[in-house]
Amino acid sequence: MTPLPKFTISELDLERLQGHEGQVVLLVQEDGRMDAVARRINKATKGALARFLESKGFDDLESGKVMTLSYPTGLMARAVSVAKINRNATQGEVRSCGVEITKASVSERFVIAFGKFKRISDLIEGMALRNYEYLDQKSDAAPKPFDVEVMGPDALEQKTEIETTLAVLEGVFFTRDLTNAPANILTTSHFAEQLTALSALGLEVEVLEEAELEKLGMRTLLCVGQGSDSPSKVVVMRWNGGGEEAPFALVGKGVVFDTGGISLKPAAGMEDMTMDMGGAGVVAGVMKALAKRGAKANVVGVVGLVENMPSGNAVRPGDVIKSMKGDTVEVINTDAEGRLVLADILWYTQERFAPSGMINLATLTGAIIIGLGHEMAGVFSNNDKLSKDFITAASAEGEGAWRMPLAPAYDKMLKSRIADMKNVGTRAAGSITAAQFLQRFVKNDVPWAHLDIAGVASIASESVFAPKGATGWGVRALNRLIADHYEGKGEDAPRE
């Protein structure tokens, strides 16, 4: 798996800073005032730093951006980079500055030095998120070393916060690796093995195989995978870090590859369907993050792992399948398979765990990309508080999310002549009717949100915090949601 960059936290040591042979990064206020660190570097460079800070080049440098001076006289460093950032900068501004520092790297060894700065964990978060590169399938490549020492008079005071941030980032990297992995590598069995290995962190992990799923009546989930040689599975991950309160539930779609089944997708772009397990990938990343940081909350993660393939045994358009809940579904389009997977595991999660709230994640519809592009995930919810809390958390983490409507009027689009419902409506309001379908498998008293992440789970061009490919969107937002509203507060479940 892709490792995080190495970060070391230490007290300010000006002698060692002056002798560092890699890259030195100085955090400088927008007004160009030099603190003790900058004055030491300025003296060593015989006034070169002061000349830059007094120049039009520094004045024109945007806040949060970085300028690099190569092979400065009087220092052993290969380069000195000046990051223009105020001490009172926002969390988002500091993270973005961390991204800029990573993009300006000319060395594998960094020292970031500062006088007083209280948002070092945010700077580290930006640096690490942008440093990710998926190399698992390249035979001649290995992750580049990225060794960062953070040096400042109050750096050690922030060590606990930094360690918490790094724990969450391990979850993000885990999600990105899972989502980037090709389908011949990340089979349903290998995916389950990856999740079972999380038990080493203190998670309780249980794998339900096909025979048990049959007994439970998870027929809509099983019908999706019946055309594949890869066995369908449900993996349950439990983190019991709270008290006696009911757990909060995360539920994820894990279609490791989606051909569309009998309703075969066009060949062009089908290779991207390795990311159709992105919802399960996010759930896995959140559960890893919670365990790594020792979250004081009870959280259960449930993922359905299947592969949607065409074969002589595949589910057909026109088939009628009975769900675990007992409702019957007429399968109109076998490429609308994610909702069939989620229907059974949503019901199972409620029946077994009676959660205080529940969020499901799925790369569910192309329609959400038409509506929101690749900037926002669609949020559908039966509960105003849960929806607001999640969108607030997502905004704080720089992860776009926008609430979409649910309304009974859309239900008529799912009416079936021969069954309780169809699995698709018409082209109109495709992401909404998918959410309406899922809502039928949510009990009335359970606060619930559906996140359609089809546009944000994997992207064709780089974003602020991620290179091309898997983004890990949602891990940081869901971690924050749990920290802010469920950690140590079992009674604070959302209510209307």
Side-chain angles (χ1 to χ4, degrees):
M1 304 301 283
T2 304
L4 284 177
K6 180 183 177 183
F7 291 95
T8 305
I9 315 302
S10 65
E11 291 282 3
L12 184 62
D13 187 332
L14 293 173
E15 292 292 336
R16 194 151 53 81
L17 176 64
Q18 191 169 335
H20 178 69
E21 295 182 357
Q23 186 167 353
V24 172
V25 180
L26 302 178
L27 306 184
V28 177
Q29 298 278 306
E30 287 187 20
D31 61 11
R33 284 180 297 173
M34 290 191 290
D35 57 22
V37 179
R39 287 195 295 271
R40 180 64 172 263
I41 296 298
N42 183 58
K43 181 178 179 181
T45 59
K46 303 187 186 308
L49 180 61
R51 290 195 298 275
F52 170 62
L53 297 180
E54 294 165 1
S55 71
K56 187 175 185 298
F58 181 77
D59 288 341
D60 291 344
L61 188 67
E62 294 179 22
S63 179
K65 298 295 185 180
V66 177
M67 181 69 75
T68 298
L69 313 175
S70 298
Y71 298 101
T73 300
L75 295 177
M76 298 297 292
R78 180 177 174 182
V80 171
S81 295
V82 175
K84 189 175 185 178
I85 189 76
N86 277 341
R87 290 185 189 134
N88 62 353
T90 66
Q91 187 175 52
E93 289 169 343
V94 176
R95 285 177 179 152
S96 295
C97 183
V99 170
E100 294 300 318
I101 291 171
T102 294
K103 290 167 71 172
S105 63
V106 295
S107 171
E108 296 168 350
R109 295 179 59 246
F110 275 75
V111 170
I112 300 176
F114 53 93
K116 291 277 186 180
F117 198 76
K118 294 295 185 184
R119 287 199 176 273
I120 290 301
S121 65
D122 298 320
L123 196 75
I124 285 174
E125 187 167 5
M127 292 183 69
L129 286 169
R130 199 59 185 81
N131 184 251
Y132 175 89
E133 188 176 13
Y134 183 72
L135 299 172
D136 282 6
Q137 311 310 320
K138 290 185 177 288
S139 57
D140 59 350
K144 294 180 292 187
F146 198 69
D147 192 337
V148 182
E149 182 175 5
V150 178
M151 187 185 291
D154 55 358
L156 289 175
E157 298 172 14
Q158 302 178 58
K159 188 173 181 179
T160 299
E161 183 180 358
I162 291 167
E163 288 173 346
T164 298
T165 295
L166 293 174
V168 176
L169 292 176
E170 285 202 46
V172 175
F173 274 38
F174 187 45
T175 296
R176 288 178 176 181
D177 279 354
L178 291 169
T179 308
N180 277 323
N184 64 319
I185 301 297
L186 193 73
T187 62
T188 56
S189 295
H190 183 58
F191 200 162
E193 290 168 4
Q194 293 285 309
L195 302 185
T196 300
L198 296 177
S199 60
L201 302 177
L203 286 164
E204 295 178 12
V205 184
E206 180 183 358
V207 180
L208 307 181
E209 303 290 354
E210 285 187 345
E212 189 163 1
L213 301 180
E214 287 274 9
K215 289 180 182 178
L216 288 167
M218 290 199 195
R219 288 169 287 266
T220 58
L221 181 147
L222 286 169
C223 84
V224 175
Q226 70 188 40
S228 172
D229 289 340
S230 292
S232 298
K233 301 173 186 285
V234 169
V235 181
V236 179
M237 297 163 280
R238 301 181 70 180
W239 175 252
N240 300 312
E244 297 300 317
E245 72 271 15
F248 188 80
L250 302 173
V251 178
K253 168 191 170 184
V255 180
V256 296
F257 193 76
D258 181 20
T259 65
I262 297 299
S263 306
L264 193 67
K265 292 178 180 291
M270 194 191 291
E271 67 276 7
D272 293 335
M273 288 300 100
T274 57
M275 52 73 75
D276 209 24
M277 39 57 62
V282 175
V283 173
V286 176
M287 298 305 293
K288 182 171 185 175
L290 296 176
K292 291 287 291 186
R293 71 174 182 82
K296 297 185 184 303
N298 295 335
V299 182
V300 58
V302 180
V303 297
L305 308 182
V306 302
E307 184 177 40
N308 187 19
M309 298 286 280
S311 76
N313 193 45
V315 66
R316 295 158 293 224
D319 285 357
V320 175
I321 312 297
K322 188 175 184 180
S323 70
M324 181 182 176
K325 178 187 175 187
D327 291 344
T328 57
V329 180
E330 181 186 8
V331 178
I332 300 299
N333 188 326
T334 64
D335 194 23
E337 84 298 332
R339 65 201 71 183
L340 299 175
V341 173
L342 288 170
D344 276 344
I345 56 176
L346 283 168
W347 194 255
Y348 170 78
T349 299
Q350 294 165 96
E351 288 284 279
R352 179 174 175 185
F353 298 107
S356 61
M358 180 169 63
I359 291 179
N360 72 256
L361 300 98
T363 50
L364 204 65
T365 67
I368 202 67
I369 303 175
I370 301 302
L372 298 178
H374 296 280
E375 304 301 320
M376 301 268 181
V379 180
F380 302 82
S381 184
N382 66 359
N383 186 277
D384 290 341
K385 176 172 170 32
L386 179 58
S387 175
K388 181 181 177 182
D389 288 347
F390 175 75
I391 291 173
T392 299
S395 177
E397 297 297 335
E399 297 188 320
W402 191 264
R403 190 170 186 183
M404 301 287 286
L406 288 169
Y410 295 101
D411 282 328
K412 64 184 179 182
M413 300 170 73
L414 296 173
K415 286 184 177 179
S416 166
R417 179 180 63 84
I418 61 172
D420 295 329
M421 70 193 83
K422 301 185 295 185
N423 74 325
V424 291
T426 63
R427 286 177 58 85
S431 61
I432 301 173
T433 54
Q436 291 288 150
F437 180 94
L438 295 179
Q439 189 177 31
R440 296 181 180 209
F441 299 90
V442 177
K443 298 181 180 182
N444 291 334
D445 61 345
V446 177
W448 161 77
H450 156 55
L451 308 181
D452 192 335
I453 64 172
V456 296
S458 185
I459 52 179
S461 57
E462 67 177 37
S463 67
V464 174
F465 295 117
K468 296 178 184 179
T471 64
W473 182 100
V475 173
R476 293 182 298 132
L478 288 166
N479 173 74
R480 180 180 281 259
L481 173 75
I482 291 163
D484 288 351
H485 299 283
Y486 296 91
E487 198 153 352
K489 301 177 183 179
E491 72 285 354
D492 190 32
R495 293 288 180 263
E496 291 289 359

